[in-house]
Amino acid sequence: MFCFPLPPDAELRLLQPEHAEELFALCDANRERLARFLPWIDLTGSPEDTRSFIGSALRQFAAGDGFHAGIWCEGRLAGCIGMHKIDWLNHCVSLGYWVADEFSGRGLVTRAAEAVTRHCFEQLHLHRIEIRCAVENHASRRVAERLGFEREGLLRGAQKVRERYLDLLIYAKVAQP
């Protein structure tokens, strides 16, 4: 099984079907906070929905188009990080991540995003990595900025979350020659 350490107290593990119940419970417990910025949370109504997502993520991994991993801290699932489908023609990908409220402020997402970014450049030999986040999502913006992603632009009304449209900022990092 895929496992990547995030010292001193965490690790990334490829999501597996047996994680569906735990992942659903974590999503459900953080539903209202996540719903501010993440449209998929309203499509996650049962453990079966998370099982379906995990199945899709495993097919993506098997096809070589990226992965979705759980962020475990002190043996407990704390959140997730993943790649949207890799654009192999242009050697680029975008990242998505979230962490449960009780684990926020501990640097878990920053460490996870740094590890995945390194993996994308060093192992997958990608050229460009993007992070798109809502203008109001200050925590996600800080992750991108701490990791040296450059702010490139604004996509007005680019993401519908519940009944409102959010403006998204695009941050990117390009491989060094």
Side-chain angles (χ1 to χ4, degrees):
M1 177 172 67
F2 171 93
C3 184
F4 191 90
L6 299 174
D9 59 351
E11 65 186 3
L12 299 180
R13 288 189 228 153
L14 197 62
L15 290 170
Q16 299 292 321
E18 60 267 21
H19 300 137
E21 298 279 343
E22 186 177 7
L23 180 56
F24 174 75
L26 193 66
C27 289
D28 203 42
N30 289 271
R31 184 171 300 279
E32 287 311 308
R33 187 175 61 83
L34 295 175
R36 290 186 59 215
F37 303 118
L38 303 174
W40 56 261
I41 193 68
D42 286 335
L43 303 174
T44 307
S46 71
E48 190 52 44
D49 294 331
T50 55
R51 200 173 337 280
S52 178
F53 164 72
I54 291 170
S56 175
L58 289 171
R59 287 188 297 279
Q60 177 187 2
F61 179 69
D65 280 330
F67 65 85
H68 292 270
I71 303 169
W72 267 262
C73 182
E74 299 167 351
R76 295 174 46 217
L77 183 59
C80 291
I81 187 164
M83 295 182 225
H84 299 111
K85 186 174 173 21
I86 296 172
D87 175 352
W88 284 111
L89 181 64
N90 296 300
H91 293 95
C92 65
V93 72
S94 65
L95 305 181
Y97 44 76
W98 64 274
V99 69
D101 196 38
E102 68 179 291
F103 292 98
S104 66
R106 296 173 66 170
L108 288 172
V109 172
T110 300
R111 287 185 278 155
E114 180 179 40
V116 172
T117 298
R118 229 178 22 257
H119 175 77
C120 287
F121 285 138
E122 295 173 6
Q123 305 302 313
L124 300 177
H125 306 290
L126 296 179
H127 177 70
R128 177 184 170 87
I129 302 166
E130 291 182 359
I131 295 173
R132 295 179 181 208
C133 54
V135 171
E136 299 88 10
N137 191 340
H138 299 288
S140 190
R141 291 173 60 180
R142 282 192 301 273
V143 169
E145 291 162 1
R146 271 194 297 269
L147 295 177
F149 280 67
E150 291 185 40
R151 182 174 155 179
E152 293 187 335
L154 174 73
L155 298 172
R156 293 179 304 129
Q159 185 175 46
K160 185 177 182 190
V161 177
R162 294 192 169 168
E163 296 305 315
R164 64 189 183 116
Y165 289 89
L166 303 178
D167 294 342
L168 299 182
L169 291 171
I170 301 174
Y171 289 88
K173 192 174 234 189
V174 177
Q176 300 301 312

